[in-house]
Amino acid sequence: MNLIVALIPLLPLAGFLINGLVNKKMPKSLVGLIGSSTVLISFICSVYLFSQLLGDTQSISTKLFAWIHAGGINLDLTFLVDRLSSVMLLVITGVGFLIHVYSIGYMKNDEDYPRYMAYLNLFVFFMLLLVMGNNYIVMFAGWEGVGLCSYLLIGFWFKNTAYNNAGRKAFVMNRIGDFGFLLGIFLMYQTFATLDYKEVFEAAQSYPKGTATLTAITLLLFVGAVGKSAQIPLYTWLPDAMAGPTPVSALIHAATMVTAGIYMVVRSNILYALSPISSEIIAVIGLATAFMAATIAIKQNDIKKVLAYSTVSQLGYMFVALGVGAYTTGLFHVVTHAFFKALLFLCAGSVIHAMGGEQDIRKMGGLKKYIPITHITFLTGVLAIIGMPLFSGFFSKDEILAATWIASPIIFTLLALTSVLTAVYMLRLYWLTFHANFRGTQHQKEHLHESPLSMTIPLIALAVLSVLGGFIGMPDWINEKLGTRHIFNDYVAPVINSPKEFIASHTFDFSLLAGTIIGLALIYYYTRKIYVTDNTVPEDDAHTKGFAKILAKKYYVDEAYDAVIRKPLDAISEVFYKVFDLKMIDGLVNQLPKLTTNFAAALRTLQSGKLGFYLTAMVIGIICIFVFKLLM
């Protein structure tokens, strides 16, 4: 058993080392085989552990080696697989494997394909390390690792300066959040004298609810989650992360990186349950992020940017669920979101592949008949994310809405409005891409083609999961009719202690279902009429006016950051560069060789090689010694 636990993260690490060290000497087919098979075996091991945990086994702990034993700190590198981490293992390795397979087709012609596969393996390794640690230090090591990998993969095409800047932006903004996370760990250790999950949670329960120290710890930890999971104000790096290869976007948005913050809060649910103020702040930040990102997505015309803002919005959904105490519901949405968001990004990659690199949906249209598999799978993902009944997103999103209704009708109303916006921008994206007339060039039209099997098979697998994945968490009124149970809640209940009951009345459930169906029907009709019947194409951003322009410019947040933070820092740096660096430090450094040169030149005159000069100097020296002796 210990070997199986250890193999889960170590296999992707081995894939990284092999592909990273000997990649130039291996054929590309072998590189792809190594990269994907290591993750596949990790997935098989994860399924085995999952089957073991279905029984009475509560958790499996494996100590690899003693790690930090200094002063009062005693930490080992120990892997913990319980029901929470086993869910994440299945998502990371399962979805990660499909993305690896997809990458074999998508990146096969890239000259740095081996380096790409090595980075992808490393990304999976660090995410597995993050969720498998039994203490906050191991989690932080994985946390930093995924940040590094996102930097490497976002800026993978490093010869493009814009892509490098996107990678650097992600790195810097994540470091801001990581600083808060690290302070939270320091305060946690000072308070509890341990960082082991079990010991921390047991010690925390002796503190009264709402204690200032617990509030401070949870808020600092949440700062880290804000950076990693792209919430206000540290969300702007995620849309720019689209600079990386599309499968990387799928991996970041679905199975790794952005879900790290959600996992951390769920893992720390006992601390947050004891910190009502922190939970309220999480709910407010999540709600504001979900709503704002949804409004921005409505005016985006880059297929990947629409999906990126959609991710930011859906992450806000999850944080709202965590903020009101519905931890299992938030985790349930992590799982369903991983299915349909990975699917949507990989479909976007297939569309871009067919369009020869084009990402502007205003230059697409009518792709339905040219790429039928991509079309039907993309539609599946759209139906899942907008909450179409019986698709996976319906179950998890409605559960979040039910939880917020019990917690606060105001939060419910705003979140329901966000759901409406989600349906609007996703159907807009679908109609403009796959229906109406083709708006690309004749050259693009002649080369439209469906993607190879290595890319379409993962799409089909994810589409199936996007349809069926939600049935692990059916609402109570369906369970009562069928005599079944909420499988997902039952499975994670021993690990996640939700402090509240989030079971709404059946009247509310039926009202929500009816409202969803009517609302989606109206949005379907409205968006189809605009973008298909009337064949409306969004105008150029330069021509938009009023509030539409504000949305197209993403509320000018990037511009505000530039004006308030980047430019003043640049100006200060310029002063330090010109005054301290060039004039003081460089001046001092440059003067030293000049002094040495001048001194050497003066000494060289003593070594002129002229006999007369030496005799004269000797006579003068003797006279000086003679005079000096007389005076003494």
Side-chain angles (χ1 to χ4, degrees), residues 509-523:
D509 287 335
F510 292 134
S511 300
L512 188 59
L513 176 62
T516 301
I517 294 172
I518 295 171
L520 290 180
L522 290 174
I523 296 168

Side-chain angles (χ1 to χ4, degrees), residues 285-475:
I285 295 290
L287 183 63
T289 305
F291 184 77
M292 187 184 76
T295 57
I296 294 174
I298 288 177
K299 294 300 293 181
Q300 299 306 303
N301 297 310
D302 184 310
I303 187 171
K304 290 176 67 177
K305 285 286 180 69
V306 176
L307 297 178
Y309 278 104
S310 166
T311 300
V312 176
S313 182
Q314 296 299 309
L315 291 168
Y317 265 88
M318 299 171 202
F319 275 113
V320 171
L322 304 184
V324 300
Y327 302 111
T328 56
T329 302
L331 185 65
F332 182 30
H333 199 52
V334 169
V335 175
T336 59
H337 179 263
F339 298 151
F340 58 70
K341 188 48 62 71
L343 171 62
L344 288 168
F345 265 110
L346 296 187
C347 284
S350 184
V351 169
I352 295 167
H353 183 261
M355 291 289 297
E358 181 60 67
Q359 296 187 195
D360 193 331
I361 55 177
R362 292 170 297 190
K363 299 175 182 177
M364 298 179 185
L367 297 182
K368 176 183 175 181
K369 62 182 178 183
Y370 298 103
I371 46 177
I373 298 176
T374 302
H375 164 250
I376 195 66
T377 51
F378 189 88
L379 178 59
T380 304
V382 170
L383 294 176
I385 195 173
I386 66 176
M388 175 64 75
L390 302 184
F391 284 74
S392 60
F394 162 76
F395 297 104
S396 55
K397 290 180 76 174
D398 270 24
E399 201 169 294
I400 292 176
L401 289 172
T404 56
W405 171 256
I406 295 170
S408 167
I410 296 174
I411 296 178
F412 166 79
T413 304
L414 290 173
L415 211 58
L417 180 58
T418 305
S419 293
V420 171
L421 295 174
T422 303
V424 171
Y425 69 70
M426 287 308 301
L427 286 172
R428 171 182 178 270
L429 176 64
Y430 169 69
W431 296 128
L432 285 171
T433 304
F434 292 100
H435 288 264
N437 299 322
F438 182 70
R439 297 180 294 275
T441 64
Q442 185 60 33
H443 178 72
Q444 288 173 326
K445 189 174 183 179
E446 291 172 355
H447 289 83
L448 287 172
H449 59 282
E450 185 56 277
S451 298
L453 284 176
S454 59
M455 294 170 64
T456 53
I457 289 176
L459 298 185
I460 295 169
L462 287 168
V464 172
L465 291 171
S466 298
V467 176
L468 301 178
F471 285 93
I472 59 174
M474 291 188 293

Side-chain angles (χ1 to χ4, degrees), residues 503-577:
I503 302 175
S505 67
H506 287 350
T507 303
F508 173 81
D509 287 335
F510 292 134
S511 300
L512 188 59
L513 176 62
T516 301
I517 294 172
I518 295 171
L520 290 180
L522 290 174
I523 296 168
Y524 173 90
Y525 172 78
Y526 172 75
T527 53
R528 191 176 192 285
K529 182 179 184 306
I530 293 176
Y531 299 112
V532 180
T533 307
D534 298 342
N535 202 20
T536 303
V537 179
E539 60 187 348
D540 190 86
D541 291 345
H543 300 145
T544 55
K545 296 179 181 176
F547 190 61
K549 189 175 184 65
I550 294 175
L551 294 182
K553 292 293 184 181
K554 299 161 283 188
Y555 294 105
Y556 295 95
V557 173
D558 279 315
E559 288 79 358
Y561 282 168
D562 272 355
V564 176
I565 298 175
R566 189 186 65 80
K567 288 182 179 177
L569 286 177
D570 283 351
I572 294 171
S573 301
E574 189 72 12
V575 170
F576 274 89
Y577 170 67

Side-chain angles (χ1 to χ4, degrees), residues 45-66:
C45 293
S46 302
V47 171
Y48 175 75
L49 294 180
F50 177 80
S51 67
Q52 297 300 304
L53 292 172
L54 282 173
D56 295 332
T57 306
Q58 293 297 310
S59 63
I60 302 166
S61 183
T62 298
K63 177 183 173 181
L64 260 65
F65 51 81

